[in-house]
């Protein structure tokens, strides 16, 4: 047993699940979102991540969510982002309610869909050649 006991958490806190809404508070002052990993469920448009301290949050998105680019939510693409497949983003707050997208990536679901669509198109082309 160590001489001094640990007085902090070890590892990463589990993800906090929040519903999609116009404002999704990622880091409210009451510390009700006590994790740096947030999973946003449902569909709709998000205009803001609310007020928060200087912090970076990792956000998991479901398909069907639209992020609206604005002064309060600055996206890397500089325009509204329509999420059509599950995705992951990193968002940094300046402490005044302004959130900046640091990184955004879609999961592999889009690539799998693209490959399946190409296979389906090829099969349809082969079927057309086989028809009398």
């Amino acid at each position: 047993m160590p001489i001094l006991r640990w007085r902090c958490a070890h590892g990463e806190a589990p993800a906090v699940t929040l519903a999609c809404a116009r404002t999704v508070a990622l880091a409210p002052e009451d510390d009700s979102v006590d994790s740096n990993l947030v999973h946003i469920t449902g569909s709709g448009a998000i205009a803001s991540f609310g007020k928060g301290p200087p912090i970076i949050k990792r956000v998991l998105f479901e398909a069907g969510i639209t992020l609206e680019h604005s002064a309060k939510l600055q996206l890397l693409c500089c325009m509204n982002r329509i999420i059509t497949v599950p995705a992951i983003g990193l968002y940094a707050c300046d402490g005044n309610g302004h959130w900046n997208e640091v990184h955004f990536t879609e999961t592999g679901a889009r690539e799998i869909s693209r490959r399946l669509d190409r296979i389906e198109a090829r099969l349809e082309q082969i079927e057309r050649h086989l028809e009398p």
Side-chain angles (χ1 to χ4, degrees), residues 63-118:
I65 294 174
T66 299
L67 300 176
E68 296 179 357
H69 179 74
S70 68
K72 294 284 186 181
L73 183 56
Q74 301 257 334
L75 304 175
L76 290 171
C77 59
C78 296
M79 55 192 271
N80 293 352
R81 182 185 303 282
I82 300 169
I83 300 170
T84 58
V85 296
I88 302 167
L90 290 176
Y91 298 88
C93 184
D94 66 356
N96 294 315
H98 298 97
W99 290 84
N100 292 296
E101 191 172 66
V102 177
H103 178 77
F104 182 86
T105 188
E106 297 175 334
T107 62
R110 178 171 309 284
E111 179 62 18
I112 291 170
S113 294
R114 187 185 66 75
R115 288 180 183 186
L116 290 173
D117 289 345
R118 284 181 52 200

Side-chain angles (χ1 to χ4, degrees), residues 15-35:
V16 172
T17 301
L18 300 174
C20 184
R22 292 291 298 156
T23 299
V24 178
L26 295 185
E29 292 179 5
D30 65 0
D31 206 25
S32 59
V33 180
D34 193 21
S35 176

